[in-house]
């Protein structure tokens, strides 16, 4: 891992239009980030790759887009309003800074102030810390004109709950039979005590979650299946195997709903941390929603005639955390020429190719290059970018820095024989090809 990698990525993201601090002109808003033009392309490509995986490659999974706001009872049934969805908070008696108690212990912030078993003095001012208390992470809001207890609800803390409340709707309307899955991508909100590490821990973020409804006896089999499938997805999209591992949860680490859980960990610049969770949620969710809503969400086993609540195997990935991992893994430096190469998988790269005229002051070259560019834009489903700034070397480097896998140059030979050069970002090798076959060659290279 390179020194200061996270700082370098934060700077690249801002400089090249990937990710900006939220509300920046007003001084920023902790834990909130905005995606710029290239960031939108990147995160959309991550989400699209996940959708392709779930709905094309896997079998029997249905897509949903449920609302962010739900009945408050949903969060009571799910256990999120009670102790299950809290973090331990410690506040400084002197400067009133707040810390997550487990992070003070884990990260040993300012070890000089650490007492036995972690920190007992404020890392900021050395003041005494209050005893830990539970802090609920749900973000509250009110619906309707009257702001009182009856109008209180929450921005969803996970997308999953929208799937459970629609379980019967999807099952009946799609004639789905167990085992089957429901998956959705969407925003989630958590009032994190200490957001940080750029887009790793945010207060508004995006999840890509899939819930597989299975017979209780099949739960272990599906848990293993999904663990391996999800790991494969990251590797196929270019993350180096050595930067990934499974982290099984010990009994005392399990979330309130989980019978078993394993995280996919990535080695971020700040250490090994969770990127996705695979959970065996048992019958917690459907039994609780049945109880709280009064609607029976159980099923009948056709063979035995017995009623059962389907077990749920959940795959819960963060779109933003995946983006951060893909950026960290792709970041490379050419130290000799002091430049950055973002070796993103072509499927994830914001631009699939750039088209240049060799010289911008030669109208014949510009005209021919525009022709190639406009044609490719129609032929290739991913974005193609035009670039005629500076000299050709600078253009190559500029495209390398944002991960564009291929650069196509129209030069004087093009005017003679209708060929162009294609330069590969990672090998820097150029090949000369006919314009006529360009779209097929590019499609083959970028897998579209
Ligand atoms: N439905 C289960 C669930 O939400 P989780 O482990 O709390 O489980 C799942 O979250 C994933 O959502 C995490 O692995 C992470 O990728 C993402 N995530 C959770 N909290 C996040 C935050 N504050 N900022 C960014 N991503 C977050």
């Amino acid at each position: 891992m390179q020194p200061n990698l996270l700082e370098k990525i934060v700077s690249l993201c801002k400089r090249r239009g990937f990710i900006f601090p939220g509300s920046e002109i007003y001084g920023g808003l902790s834990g909130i980030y905005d995606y710029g033009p290239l960031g939108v392309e990147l995160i959309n490509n991550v989400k699209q790759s996940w959708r392709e995986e779930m709905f094309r490659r896997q079998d029997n999974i249905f897509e949903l887009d449920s609302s962010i706001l739900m009945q408050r009872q949903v969060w009571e049934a799910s256990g999120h309003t009670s102790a299950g969805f809290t973090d331990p908070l410690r506040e400084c008696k002197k400067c009133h800074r707040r810390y997550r108690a487990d992070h003070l212990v884990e990260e040993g912030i300012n070890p000089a102030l650490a007492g036995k078993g972690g920190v007992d003095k404020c890392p900021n001012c050395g003041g005494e810390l209050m005893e830990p208390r539970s802090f609920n992470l749900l973000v509250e809001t009110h619906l309707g004109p009257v702001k009182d207890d009856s109008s209180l609800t929450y921005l969803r803390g996970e997308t999953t709950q929208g799937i459970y409340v629609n379980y019967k709707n999807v099952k009946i309307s799609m004639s789905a039979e167990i085992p089957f899955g429901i998956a959705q991508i969407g925003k989630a909100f958590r009032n994190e005590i200490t957001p940080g590490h750029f887009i790793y821990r945010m207060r508004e973020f995006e999840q890509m979650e899939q819930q597989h409804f299975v017979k209780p006896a099949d739960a272990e089999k599906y848990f293993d299946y999904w663990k391996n499938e999800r790991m494969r997805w990251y590797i196929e999209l270019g993350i180096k195997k050595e930067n990934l591992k499974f982290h099984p949860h010990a009994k005392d680490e399990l979330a309130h709903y989980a019978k078993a859980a394993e995280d996919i960990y990535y080695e971020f610049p700040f250490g090994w941390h969770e990127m996705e969770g695979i959970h065996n949620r048992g019958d917690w969710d459907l039994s609780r929603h049945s109880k709280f809503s009064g609607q029976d969400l159980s099923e009948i086993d056709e063979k035995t005639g017995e009623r059962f609540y389907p077990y749920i195997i959940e795959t819960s990935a963060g779109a933003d955390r995946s983006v951060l991992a893909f950026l960290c893994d792709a970041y490379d430096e050419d130290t000799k020429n002091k430049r950055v190469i973002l070796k993103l998988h072509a499927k994830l790269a914001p631009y699939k190719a750039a088209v240049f005229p060799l010289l911008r002051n030669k109208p014949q070259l510009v005209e021919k290059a525009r022709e190639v560019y406009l044609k490719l834009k129609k032929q290739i489903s991913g974005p193609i970018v035009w670039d005629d700034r500076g000299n050709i070397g600078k253009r190559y480097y500029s495209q390398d820095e944002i991960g564009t896998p291929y650069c196509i140059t129209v030069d004087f030979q093009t005017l003679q024989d209708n060929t162009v050069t294609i330069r590969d970002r990672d090998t820097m090798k150029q090949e000369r090809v006919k314009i006529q076959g360009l779209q097929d060659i590019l499609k083959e290279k970028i897998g579209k």
Side-chain angles (χ1 to χ4, degrees):
M1 201 58 71
Q2 307 191 25
N4 308 325
L5 178 57
L6 190 64
E7 287 87 336
K8 288 176 181 174
I9 285 176
V10 173
S11 150
L12 173 72
C13 282
K14 172 131 194 245
R15 194 159 36 84
R16 298 304 309 267
F18 282 89
I19 300 166
F20 309 125
S23 310
E24 195 184 11
I25 60 168
Y26 288 97
L29 185 59
S30 181
I32 307 289
Y33 286 90
D34 296 338
Y35 282 80
L38 297 193
V40 175
E41 292 290 348
L42 174 57
I43 196 166
N44 280 347
N45 290 339
V46 168
K47 292 188 282 186
Q48 190 49 29
S49 300
W50 185 89
R51 290 184 73 249
E52 271 169 27
E53 172 67 31
M54 289 297 161
F55 308 117
R56 302 233 179 102
R57 186 154 177 174
Q58 301 291 342
D59 194 27
N60 229 10
I61 299 182
F62 303 97
E63 189 163 22
L64 184 74
D65 185 5
S66 69
S67 48
I68 286 171
L69 293 166
M70 282 179 274
Q71 274 259 11
R72 176 168 139 188
Q73 276 170 295
V74 171
W75 302 105
E76 284 155 13
S78 70
H80 283 76
T81 51
S82 50
F85 199 55
T86 56
D87 276 335
L89 170 81
R90 294 194 78 179
E91 188 173 335
C92 173
K93 288 183 181 170
K94 208 160 124 197
C95 73
H96 297 287
R97 279 224 183 168
R98 292 171 157 200
Y99 303 94
R100 248 178 81 167
D102 52 336
H103 286 177
L104 286 172
V105 177
E106 260 171 37
E107 291 169 17
I109 303 170
N110 192 350
L113 299 168
K116 233 181 175 185
V119 171
D120 54 17
K121 292 266 171 14
C122 172
N124 181 47
C125 72
E128 199 184 330
L129 292 177
M130 293 179 202
E131 281 306 305
R133 64 187 161 93
S134 290
F135 178 80
N136 195 283
L137 300 183
L138 284 175
V139 177
E140 294 182 358
T141 188
H142 289 265
L143 277 185
V146 183
K147 197 175 172 192
D148 63 11
D149 191 53
S150 68
S151 64
L152 173 73
T153 188
Y154 308 96
L155 303 186
R156 67 181 172 202
E158 56 175 13
T159 58
T160 309
Q161 296 303 325
I163 292 180
Y164 304 145
V165 299
N166 281 291
Y167 166 74
K168 276 271 149 139
N169 283 337
V170 174
K171 183 166 187 287
I172 293 166
S173 60
M174 302 311 291
S175 308
E177 283 179 23
I178 286 174
F180 73 95
I182 306 178
Q184 74 170 332
I185 296 175
K187 290 271 188 179
F189 303 81
R190 294 184 190 177
N191 204 358
E192 297 283 357
I193 299 168
T194 46
H197 296 315
F198 191 33
I199 54 169
Y200 180 81
R201 187 171 295 104
M202 301 155 91
R203 288 181 168 143
E204 174 182 338
F205 55 98
E206 215 162 0
Q207 291 187 312
M208 308 184 289
E209 298 200 297
Q210 189 256 148
Q211 314 295 314
H212 223 76
F213 300 91
V214 303
K215 287 191 175 163
D218 292 336
E220 267 179 46
K221 183 178 85 185
Y222 279 97
F223 183 74
D224 287 343
Y225 173 80
W226 280 109
K227 245 179 66 182
N228 295 326
E229 288 296 277
R230 294 304 303 142
M231 183 62 102
R232 176 184 53 70
W233 186 77
Y234 292 105
I235 294 168
E236 280 183 6
L237 284 175
I239 296 207
K240 296 170 204 81
K241 274 188 189 156
E242 63 270 25
N243 293 336
L244 291 164
K245 68 176 181 189
F246 286 114
H247 167 81
H249 282 213
K251 279 264 173 293
D252 61 351
E253 265 184 285
L254 287 177
H256 61 278
Y257 50 74
K259 276 194 168 338
E262 283 202 32
D263 292 334
I264 295 179
Y265 265 36
Y266 176 73
E267 190 172 18
F268 288 99
F270 40 90
W272 285 98
H273 285 279
E274 173 188 344
M275 184 163 58
E276 169 160 355
I278 323 295
H279 310 127
N280 174 353
R281 298 178 69 120
D283 65 1
W284 166 267
D285 300 283
L286 293 186
S287 63
R288 293 274 294 188
H289 283 302
S290 291
K291 189 170 149 203
F292 279 67
S293 68
Q295 305 281 322
D296 183 7
L297 302 177
S298 68
E299 301 291 341
I300 294 182
D301 186 314
E302 276 171 14
K303 278 196 197 130
T304 63
E306 281 172 22
R307 285 214 158 263
F308 69 99
Y309 286 109
Y311 271 32
I312 293 165
I313 305 302
E314 170 182 66
T315 66
S316 175
D320 314 273
R321 269 189 205 177
S322 305
V323 164
L324 185 57
F326 286 122
L327 284 171
C328 292
D329 227 71
Y331 189 96
D332 198 10
E333 276 175 5
D334 168 0
T335 42
K336 199 168 131 220
N337 296 302
K338 293 204 175 69
R339 67 190 193 93
V340 174
I341 309 154
L342 205 53
K343 295 185 169 170
L344 287 170
H345 191 289
K347 265 193 165 175
L348 302 182
Y351 296 133
K352 305 305 167 198
V355 179
F356 316 146
L358 179 66
L359 299 168
R360 67 182 296 179
N361 57 1
K362 295 280 176 216
Q364 275 176 301
L365 290 181
V366 174
E367 196 185 322
K368 189 74 185 167
R370 290 293 299 175
E371 202 184 289
V372 171
Y373 163 68
L374 292 172
K375 213 161 133 194
L376 273 185
K377 265 167 88 76
K378 286 195 200 117
Q379 293 165 333
I380 305 289
S381 60
I384 306 290
V385 65
W386 170 261
D387 196 353
D388 63 359
R389 299 159 305 161
N391 65 40
I392 188 101
K394 283 201 177 129
R395 286 183 225 153
Y396 283 145
Y397 285 5
S398 168
Q399 293 299 327
D400 289 347
E401 195 179 49
I402 56 171
T404 309
Y406 302 101
C407 290
I408 294 151
T409 304
V410 167
D411 55 16
F412 291 106
Q413 194 177 326
T414 313
L415 305 178
Q416 309 295 322
D417 63 5
N418 268 318
T419 60
V420 290
T421 60
I422 305 187
R423 173 190 176 269
D424 181 297
R425 176 195 66 201
D426 300 339
T427 62
M428 293 195 288
K429 290 214 172 94
Q430 294 186 28
E431 56 176 314
R432 189 165 277 281
V433 302
K434 285 215 172 325
I435 293 176
Q436 215 185 13
L438 185 58
Q439 71 159 302
D440 291 335
I441 293 169
L442 209 53
K443 275 185 188 164
E444 165 104 24
K445 283 183 188 292
I446 62 177
K448 288 252 168 187

